[in-house]
Structure formats: C-alpha cells, structure tokens
Amino acid sequence: MLGALGVVFGDIGTSPLYAMQTIFNSDGGQVGTAQDAVYGVVSLVFWAITLIVSVKYVTFILRTDNDGEGGIMALTALIQKLDFRSAKTKLLLVALGILGASLFYGDGMITPAISVLSAVEGLKVSAPGLGDYIVPLTVVIVIGLFAIQKFGTALVGGLFGPVMTVWFLIIAVAGGAEVAAHPSIIKALSPLYGAKFLVNHGVVAFVALASVVLAVTGAEALYADMGHFGRKPIHRAWFFLVFPALTLNYLGQGSLILRRPATISNPFFLLMPGWAQLPMVLLATVATVIASQAVISGAFSVTRQAMQLGFLPHLTIRHTSEHEIGQVYVPAVNWFLCCTVTILVLGFESSAALASAYGVAVTATFMLNTILFLAVARVLKGAAPWKIALGALVFLTIELAFFAANLTKVVHGGWLPLLVAAAVFTVLSTWRRGREIVTPNRTELEGPLRAFVDEVNAMDPPVHRVDGVAVFLNANIETTPLALRANVEHNHTLHKTVVILSMVVAKVPHIPVSERLVFDDLGHHDDGIIHVTARLGFQDEPDVPRIMRQAAAHPDAGELAGIDLDTVSYFLSRIAIVRTDAKGMRAWRKRLFLAVAHNAASPVDYFRLPADRSVIMGAHVPV
C-alpha cells in the first residue's frame, strides 16, 4: 500500500492543485461562483472520480490483467492472444491499443509540466514578490528531474510512499477543516446538483466538463502499475486514504469558493492557513516531482514493452537497479520528454494555459481502455452481451462527453498531444508493417536451419572445427543465422561447440525461468551444434549472457554443462535494409522505416553482450 501510494497515485493525487482553479477560471470565469454552480461543479468532480476511478478502474478493469500486469500495452498483448470471429476486428482493436500507447506519450509530456508548474505557482500566494521566478524555477526543476533519470528511481523511490502519505493526510485535513466549519457543502455530493448544473448552464457546463476531467488525470496509472504492487494494495490504498482525501479537499475548496469567491485564483493554497502556505509549496513541488517521475518511468516501461512486442526497433535501454528488472532508463525517450516538457513550460507559462492541452489525451485514453476492456471481458471472460452493452452505455457515454468537451480546447493547445500521438502511432505502425515485409525476405535469404546443419554434417572433407564456444543469435527458430552461414561458406570453419540462440517474446509479461528454455540437437546429437529457444515475456530482460548461464545450468544442457562462459564468442547478423519500388508500403513510410532502423541501438548493447567478444556480420535485405 505504501509503495502504491507513492507511485500509483502521484498524478491523480496532485490534481487538486489545478483542477478546481482551472474550472472556475477557464473561459473568463463563465462558470461563476453562485451556490448552484459551485455545488454543481463539486458534484461533477466527485462523481467523475467515483465512476471513472472507483467503479471502472478499481472495481472492474483491475480484475482484467495479463499475467498480473496491467496497462494499455499489456491489454493490447492480451487482445493479440485472443481469438475473435473477425480478423479485422482483432486488427482494429490492436490498432486502438497502439493508439492508446501513443497517447500516453502525450500525457507524459504534459503531466510534468502542468504538475510542477502548478506547485511552484503557489509562490503567488505565499510569496507574491517571487512571481516572476515561477517559470524559470519550474524549468530548473524539470531539467533536474530528467537529469537524474539515468541514476534510476532509487534516488527518490524511498521517499515516494512516505511523502505521498503525508501529502494525502495534509490535503484531507485542510479540506476536512473547512468542511467541518461549513458542513452544508456536503450536499454537493448528491448527483442531482451535477445534473442540474449541466441542464441549467447549457454550453457553459459542457465547456466546464473539459476542466472537470482534470480531477481524474492519472487514473490510467492505477492499471498501468498494477504489476508492481498487485490489485489488492491499490484497491485498499484508494478506498482507505486517497479517495477520502481527494473528496474532502475538493469539498473544502468548494466551500472556500462559496464563502470567498476571490479565492478562485488559487483555492488549493488559499485553503491553507497563512503560515502553512510556503511549506505547502515545497511539499507540493516534491509531490509533483513524484507524480512526474511515475509518468516518466511509465513512458520508459511502455517503450520497452513496445520493443518487445515488435512495434519499435531495439533502443538503448539501461537498467538502473540490480534487484528490480522493471527499473529501466531509455535515454532517447528521456531527453525527448525533457525537451518537450521544457518547451511546454516556456510556451504556456501557466498551469491554467496548459490545462487546455491536457484533457484530450487523457479522455481519449479512457475511451480506448474501455473499448479494449469490454472486448476482453466479452471474449476472455465470457461476459453476457447485456453486461457489455451496459458497461459501454455508462462508461463510454461519460468519457465521450468529456472527450467532446475537450475538443473545444483543441485550438487552444489540445492539438499538441494529438499531434504527438499521431506521430508516435505512425512510427509504431510503420515499424510493425515494415517488419512484416522484411521478415519474409530475410527468412528466404537465411534458408532452413535443419537443412543447413545436414549440409554441414555431410561435408567432405568436413568443415574445420576450432576450439571454443560460439553463440549465434537468430530471431527465427526455423532459419539459419546469416552470420553462421557466412562463417561456413567464407571462412570454412566452425567452433567445436555452436549454440544457435533464438529468443521468442510471448504476449505475456513474464515467463518463469523453469519454463524458459527449450533445447534441440537439430537431428545430430554428437555434432556440437545445438539450438536453444529462450521464451521471454514482453517485460523480461533479453540479457543473453544471463540466458546462457541459465542454459549451462539446465538439466538438459548436455554439451553446454560446465562451459566457461567468460570465453564464449557471440555472433550477430545485422541486416542493411535497402529501399525498393516493391509494393507493400508507400514510399514515405519506407523512408520512415529506414530512418527508424538507422536509429536503432547496437544489438551488442541491447542484448547486454560483452563488446570484446562480439562479432557483427551484415547482409542486405529489400523492403
């Protein structure tokens, strides 16, 4: 629970910093501060949190996991494993999942910017003379946050849970004190006030929905981080502390605005007594850094899962923990996010302005998650059609209303996450399509593995064998590694022990070590050539030396048992893709595919191979 409080709820837990302020200040303050408006807004915020977070995510979606893992990519992998009546339906659902992952990057850009900026803006309340330093100070904090990513979350991870626990307790006490002094605000929890607000305020209420959704930003993290903590700790932390604390704080802000309408300028910090405002700015800054950290780490995780599922090439990934395999650092993603977040802070200059760009990506992700969840519930869980229809009616109606309201903000910045998502989606889908074209061409060039081994064993005179162990990596378990074929055809030599290693990524997060390896002598048990298939989950680490250690210790290791792994030579086949006029992809997508391929990480780094004992041999493959 403590870990979940620090990582899972950082984003949604800091939403009170800017949600109510944005609702009452957007569009020139058209919502107003009359009692019916304040009650209506508080009611909408409460029921948005209740229905989207408490009911949809915590009660239902958290029960749909992929071997214990959650998140849009895990759900997409689950879709890929299921059998649908129509192949087009499955293809469409996978595309929606990739679109959801693409939108996550847009969210990952805006969350650090709006969260940290809204916290530092507390200086306007506690120290007005420092107002001119808000943007520069925010930029310094943001750059510092991204600069420490290479050291891993362990630097601040120990503070996550305790700090966020203190945060939730303080915002609960601050809101609860105001509610206790003016308990009439509790009536705003009735859904009738929200309904009346929507009916009586028409267009104004509809536009206000675009800001109401800010109260539920970060809800996706509950599902995405399920694999780290499990469903029950997240469930308990939400209902025992987070949900009550958020409810009390939003009620308190509503009561304060009713009593003192001028406090709409910053109701969160003005809810605090004067002596506590500056310390609260410091605590809020730390809390928003934690919230941002969770989103950044999520972007790294989504990137790695996309690579494992074949939607991205191998990028440089650094593991920042010797104990936690999920703690990774992706330099390319980190510095891309750092640049875009800094540009956002400098370009928008306030959390209120940034709020216009925030809701589109969030609400679109909500809808995509709902669609994928309902598809899985129908096919995998066998849910009755009427239950699926009811879920779609309730959740999609709410989320579509939020999405439609946020479309009114597209011209005011909402276009940005949509543009980022479109760009990321294009890259992911292009790489996947390009692989579908290149793979058969490469397979034809490589030729069948068993036939090649038969040829080697039938050679007269036999191929020269040299001492040592050689490991040839090959993606296809049925074909011959190009490096192995070239070694025999051009060098006329083979090592005495040859291991052909193929790694197969399953559409589940993890494969137990005991079920990971399969050995095959390829029909010749005494020729020193053995094929090893390593089955990995999409969150497992493709660490080849580690896999070889597991293989050497396996009961079926045979000739591999007892080998000196410190002298093993590794051979990789790296293809050079050549663009042709062949059909299959448009010319501009082929150029994009080549550009992405050229920026792929070195396979030596990706597979964590020793550089001084690795050899890369190439070949040309058309696309």
Side-chain angles (χ1 to χ4, degrees):
M1 284 181 60
L2 193 62
L5 282 170
V7 176
V8 176
F9 300 107
D11 192 356
I12 195 170
T14 53
S15 293
L17 279 165
Y18 49 82
M20 293 288 280
Q21 175 186 356
T22 303
I23 294 170
F24 285 98
N25 284 280
S26 62
D27 299 295
Q30 293 185 41
V31 171
T33 56
Q35 179 173 298
D36 63 331
V38 174
Y39 276 25
V41 166
V42 173
S43 178
L44 288 175
V45 168
F46 173 76
W47 284 103
I49 295 174
T50 299
L51 293 174
I52 293 178
V53 185
S54 297
V55 178
K56 190 184 97 168
Y57 276 100
V58 179
T59 303
F60 289 111
I61 290 190
L62 285 185
R63 298 178 183 275
T64 306
D65 63 275
N66 186 2
D67 195 24
E69 296 289 340
I72 194 74
M73 287 304 294
L75 200 56
T76 303
L78 196 58
I79 290 287
Q80 288 182 296
K81 292 193 299 181
L82 299 178
D83 292 325
F84 291 84
R85 293 181 179 178
S86 169
K88 291 183 178 179
T89 299
K90 184 174 184 176
L91 182 63
L92 175 61
L93 290 172
V94 170
L96 292 178
I98 299 307
L99 178 59
S102 304
L103 286 164
F104 184 85
Y105 288 96
D107 184 25
M109 288 167 33
I110 300 176
T111 294
I114 192 172
S115 298
V116 177
L117 194 53
S118 63
V120 180
E121 282 174 346
L123 291 173
K124 292 181 180 179
V125 176
S126 59
L130 299 177
D132 293 339
Y133 296 95
I134 289 175
V135 172
L137 184 58
T138 300
V139 170
V140 170
I141 294 172
V142 164
I143 294 176
L145 172 62
F146 284 99
I148 66 173
Q149 292 303 311
K150 63 181 179 181
F151 300 107
T153 57
L155 275 182
V156 288
L159 295 175
F160 279 14
V163 168
M164 293 309 297
T165 300
V166 171
W167 169 263
F168 285 119
L169 290 174
I170 288 179
I171 67 172
V173 169
E178 175 68 24
V179 173
H182 304 87
S184 61
I185 190 65
I186 294 177
K187 293 187 294 184
L189 296 181
S190 168
L192 294 177
Y193 287 99
K196 289 180 180 178
F197 177 72
L198 291 174
V199 172
N200 296 334
H201 286 73
V203 175
V204 172
F206 175 74
V207 174
L209 287 177
S211 302
V212 170
V213 79
L214 296 175
V216 292
T217 55
E220 171 65 15
L222 276 72
Y223 185 42
D225 289 312
M226 181 173 62
H228 296 287
F229 307 101
R231 183 178 67 86
K232 290 185 177 179
I234 294 176
H235 186 277
R236 292 167 183 164
W238 172 255
F239 285 111
F240 290 167
L241 179 58
V242 180
F243 188 30
L246 292 175
T247 300
L248 285 172
N249 194 264
Y250 283 123
L251 285 171
Q253 290 190 49
S255 175
L256 179 66
I257 292 171
L258 269 179
R259 291 194 302 107
R260 296 162 51 196
T263 58
I264 62 171
S265 61
N266 202 320
F268 178 84
F269 284 104
L270 290 172
L271 193 61
M272 310 292 165
W275 60 268
Q277 289 172 354
L278 185 56
M280 197 60 188
V281 171
L282 299 176
L283 177 61
T285 302
V286 175
T288 54
V289 166
I290 291 174
S292 303
Q293 174 66 49
V295 174
I296 295 168
S297 299
F300 295 160
S301 178
V302 167
T303 301
R304 188 177 73 153
Q305 292 180 38
M307 285 189 289
Q308 295 282 52
L309 290 175
F311 291 99
L312 279 176
H314 297 155
L315 300 176
T316 299
I317 292 183
R318 298 174 187 169
H319 290 257
T320 58
S321 172
E322 296 180 357
H323 308 289
E324 299 295 333
I325 194 169
Q327 293 187 14
V328 295
Y329 167 64
V330 186
V333 175
N334 183 71
W335 294 114
F336 167 75
L337 289 178
C338 181
C339 292
T340 53
V341 170
T342 302
I343 291 172
L344 286 175
V345 172
L346 294 174
F348 285 85
E349 296 186 336
S350 72
S351 60
L354 266 170
S356 298
Y358 204 6
V360 179
V362 173
T363 52
T365 303
F366 285 166
M367 291 192 299
L368 293 173
N369 230 317
T370 298
I371 293 170
L372 296 184
F373 162 69
L374 292 175
V376 171
R378 178 73 184 108
V379 177
L380 182 64
K381 305 290 186 179
W386 70 266
K387 291 183 179 180
I388 301 300
L390 179 61
L393 177 64
V394 174
F395 298 126
L396 287 179
T397 299
I398 296 170
E399 292 162 357
L400 185 59
F402 280 131
F403 180 71
N406 274 280
L407 288 179
T408 64
K409 305 290 186 180
V410 168
V411 295
H412 300 292
W415 56 269
L416 183 61
L418 295 180
L419 179 63
V420 171
V424 174
F425 179 83
T426 301
V427 170
L428 296 180
S429 59
T430 297
W431 182 258
R432 182 59 177 258
R433 177 57 185 152
R435 285 182 74 249
E436 291 174 350
I437 296 174
V438 168
T439 299
N441 294 338
R442 176 172 178 162
T443 299
E444 182 179 354
L445 184 64
E446 291 172 336
L449 176 59
R450 285 184 175 270
F452 176 79
V453 173
D454 291 340
E455 290 176 11
V456 170
N457 279 277
M459 284 184 176
D460 187 19
V463 65
H464 180 64
R465 307 297 287 262
V466 298
D467 292 335
V469 179
V471 176
F472 292 84
L473 275 66
N474 200 42
N476 193 327
I477 64 176
E478 301 292 339
T479 61
T480 308
L482 293 174
L484 176 60
R485 183 178 291 277
N487 205 38
V488 172
E489 293 178 353
H490 299 290
N491 299 329
H492 309 292
T493 60
L494 272 183
H495 288 72
K496 286 188 176 179
T497 302
V498 174
V499 179
I500 302 166
L501 177 63
S502 298
M503 285 172 285
V504 179
V505 179
K507 294 180 176 64
V508 296
H510 301 289
I511 299 293
V513 175
S514 60
E515 304 173 10
R516 183 167 293 176
L517 301 176
V518 177
F519 295 80
D520 185 357
D521 61 12
L522 301 173
H524 301 270
H525 68 278
D526 58 352
D527 65 350
I529 302 176
I530 186 171
H531 188 277
V532 178
T533 302
R535 295 179 63 245
L536 304 177
F538 61 79
Q539 286 195 333
D540 289 327
E541 170 62 26
D543 186 332
V544 170
R546 178 188 295 175
I547 293 172
M548 287 303 300
R549 286 193 294 272
Q550 295 169 355
H554 197 277
D556 299 331
E559 297 178 50
L560 295 181
I563 64 172
D564 185 1
L565 294 173
D566 292 331
T567 61
V568 172
S569 298
Y570 296 93
F571 291 82
L572 302 100
S573 309
R574 189 167 192 175
I575 61 174
I577 303 171
V578 180
R579 183 165 62 93
T580 68
D581 294 329
K583 297 181 179 180
M585 278 202 305
R586 294 181 181 274
W588 69 268
R589 292 190 76 187
K590 289 185 178 182
R591 287 192 290 269
L592 175 60
F593 179 74
L594 289 172
V596 175
H598 289 158
N599 285 279
S602 165
V604 174
D605 295 333
Y606 181 78
F607 294 114
R608 308 192 77 175
L609 300 174
D612 58 339
R613 289 186 281 114
S614 300
V615 179
I616 299 178
M617 304 178 73
H620 292 85
V621 177
V623 63

